Amino acid sequence: MKIVFDLDHTIFDTTEFKSDLFALLLRSGASSGNILDTYKEHLEITGGGYNFFLHCKLIEKKEKHFDTKRALVLYEEFTGKNFSKYISEDTRKALHFLKQSGCQLLLLTKGGEETQKTKLRQSGMEDVFEGVYICQGSKLATLETLGLQAGDWFVDDSLEEIVTLQSAHPELQYFLVQSEYSGGVEGDVGNIRFLRTPDAILQFLSPE
């Protein structure tokens, strides 16, 4: 069985990651308000993929005292650190268990290619996934290249994303992980299974 996982807010604590990332910008002279405004602005330019250098350049245009060179040095140091704290131990164990049980784990995530690969590499999860796919916009086109069959699983934190995919591929089993993007859902939605944490997916494995 193939199981396709999303990365951000699903298995990776992107909220804490962004907080740590924005702290680098604060240390380099940016204001909190400008960080958030330029973050949104730069995502519109990139189509949803995060690019730290572009973010810095947008801040620099609005705050002349912002030290881009310092920010880039801090960013290089930051991305060389261990990111294990952004993936809970329970989630990590669950992913390894699924892999050891014979499931083929795939990662399908939106975002900047460099940023997403860094998250995966520095959190030590590269070897868990047999395929890593990074896209912009809807995941539908990429999903349709993965050779999924009826009964394969898709796990994401965005209810909107799941509903879009489900309308095109109702033969898959969908799991919604609770996050700020799960639409305030507190339980199953039709045949979409609700998970408070990613590791809760293990309860749906069929016994050998």
Side-chain angles (χ1 to χ4, degrees):
M1 179 174 65
K2 291 182 179 179
I3 306 178
V4 183
F5 282 91
D6 172 48
L7 180 63
D8 291 309
H9 303 286
T10 300
I11 63 172
F12 189 89
D13 189 347
T14 310
T15 300
E16 185 176 0
F17 175 79
K18 281 171 60 177
S19 177
D20 291 343
L21 195 64
F22 289 176
L24 307 180
L25 299 172
L26 285 170
R27 289 172 59 189
S28 303
S31 64
S32 297
N34 196 22
I35 290 172
L36 293 175
D37 289 343
T38 51
Y39 175 74
K40 295 174 184 177
E41 181 183 348
H42 115 283
L43 289 182
E44 292 177 0
I45 295 172
T46 63
Y50 186 72
N51 183 296
F52 187 79
F53 179 75
L54 177 58
H55 194 181
C56 286
K57 298 307 288 184
L58 292 175
I59 293 172
E60 189 179 70
K61 287 181 179 179
K62 297 184 178 183
E63 297 188 73
K64 298 303 180 185
H65 64 280
F66 176 71
D67 191 341
T68 297
K69 289 184 179 180
R70 173 173 167 74
L72 293 175
V73 169
L74 291 174
Y75 180 72
E76 185 175 359
E77 293 175 355
F78 174 68
T79 54
K81 293 181 178 180
N82 189 314
F83 283 3
S84 293
K85 71 173 185 174
Y86 301 119
I87 297 181
S88 75
E89 189 60 28
D90 286 342
T91 296
R92 193 178 296 273
K93 288 179 179 179
L95 292 171
H96 281 291
F97 181 83
L98 290 170
K99 183 177 179 67
Q100 291 165 4
S101 297
C103 298
Q104 182 180 355
L105 305 187
L106 305 174
L107 189 77
L108 175 53
T109 176
K110 292 182 187 177
E113 184 170 354
E114 180 185 350
T115 303
Q116 299 304 81
K117 286 184 176 180
T118 297
K119 291 174 182 175
L120 197 59
R121 182 184 66 251
Q122 297 305 114
S123 58
M125 298 300 288
E126 281 183 308
D127 294 340
V128 173
F129 297 97
E130 295 185 35
V132 176
Y133 305 87
I134 301 170
C135 66
Q136 306 295 331
S138 174
K139 295 177 179 176
L140 180 58
T142 305
L143 184 82
E144 292 179 337
T145 69
L146 303 183
L148 302 182
Q149 299 179 356
D152 285 341
W153 293 0
F154 180 84
V155 189
D156 204 297
D157 70 297
S158 169
L159 180 60
E160 180 180 0
E161 187 80 70
I162 286 178
V163 169
T164 297
L165 298 180
Q166 188 181 46
S167 65
H169 293 282
E171 73 278 8
L172 302 178
Q173 176 62 65
Y174 294 89
F175 295 86
L176 177 67
V177 177
Q178 185 177 40
S179 83
E180 59 190 281
Y181 300 101
S182 55
V185 171
E186 291 289 335
D188 294 351
V189 180
N191 64 346
I192 300 173
R193 300 295 189 184
F194 175 75
L195 306 174
R196 293 199 181 278
T197 56
D199 56 287
I201 199 170
L202 295 181
Q203 68 186 292
F204 297 98
L205 278 179
S206 299
E208 299 258 337

